[in-house]
Amino acid sequence: MIVDQARYHDGRRLPCGDISETLDDIRASGSSDFLWIGMRDPSDETFERVSEELGLHPLAIEDSVTGDQRPKIERYGDGHFVVLRPLRYVEASSDVESGEIMVFIGADHIVTIRKGEASPLAGLRSRLEADGHDALRHGPWGSSTRSSTSSSTSTSRSRTRSSRTSTTSRPGSFPPTGRCRPPRSTR
């Protein structure tokens, strides 16, 4: 079932009635608005309707329908599929329960599917919405426009490379290529 759905414009939550109409409007405007659909143990019919509307990748759909996946991040075309396995400690019984959260991230949407009690997301969404809308202002990819997604990724990679490079002068640090070389012999 769909437990929450909203359109986010400049970090502010807006109502989302019909998913198709909202998505068409977002795509036509070319803005950084995005749709966030949250589902919990969705029926096959609900999931099929949402996945067709958003054009989710068939292999990612198969993994989410099958469930019980290992934690992973996979890229499919312009989107990503993420599987998380949160744990929850139940104090009364000293049990540890596991849940499963699957996330589809695209240029104009985020779909979260949670399975089990150990995977609540309402608190996360509430904190993001209350946090001055800063995190939600930049869309699913953290960039202010769709066209800058690839450039922000490149910038992020450059920063990562340069930060690794700056640490290579310390003894025992990894070289910028990420390969580990054995220390030279002092004989």
Side-chain angles (χ1 to χ4, degrees), residues 95 134 138:
D95 288 337
D134 211 31
H138 302 290

Side-chain angles (χ1 to χ4, degrees), residues 59-78:
L59 292 175
I61 292 169
E62 181 182 331
D63 283 353
S64 62
V65 168
T66 304
D68 204 25
Q69 299 292 310
R70 62 179 168 55
K72 62 183 173 179
I73 299 174
E74 294 183 336
R75 182 177 186 158
Y76 293 107
D78 293 336

Side-chain angles (χ1 to χ4, degrees), residues 141-155:
W141 293 106
S143 60
S144 57
T145 62
R146 281 177 185 57
S147 61
S148 67
T149 299
S150 59
S151 65
S152 70
T153 303
S154 299
T155 304

Side-chain angles (χ1 to χ4, degrees), residues 160-187:
T160 303
R161 274 191 225 114
S162 65
S163 68
R164 276 191 254 150
T165 304
S166 66
T167 63
T168 58
S169 61
R170 292 193 322 240
S173 62
F174 291 96
T177 59
R179 293 184 299 239
C180 183
R181 296 183 194 135
R184 292 185 182 169
S185 173
T186 55
R187 291 185 189 179

Side-chain angles (χ1 to χ4, degrees), residues 105-138:
I105 307 169
D108 52 13
H109 64 271
I110 296 175
V111 177
T112 53
I113 301 170
R114 63 188 183 99
K115 296 181 178 187
E117 294 299 318
S119 49
L121 290 174
L124 170 65
R125 193 185 287 230
S126 298
R127 285 190 304 277
L128 287 171
E129 290 173 349
D131 190 24
H133 310 288
D134 211 31
L136 295 172
R137 181 174 288 126
H138 302 290

Side-chain angles (χ1 to χ4, degrees), residues 5-55:
Q5 65 185 39
R7 176 179 183 167
Y8 290 89
H9 171 76
D10 196 28
R12 302 227 180 263
R13 181 187 178 106
L14 300 174
C16 170
D18 182 68
I19 293 173
S20 297
E21 290 176 15
T22 302
L23 200 56
D24 288 345
D25 186 43
I26 288 171
R27 290 176 175 166
S29 72
S31 69
S32 62
D33 290 12
F34 68 97
L35 183 63
W36 184 348
I37 301 170
M39 295 189 270
R40 177 163 184 237
D41 299 316
S43 67
D44 291 342
E45 180 184 313
T46 300
F47 186 67
E48 185 177 321
R49 182 173 47 92
V50 170
S51 62
E52 281 181 21
E53 189 65 46
L54 296 174

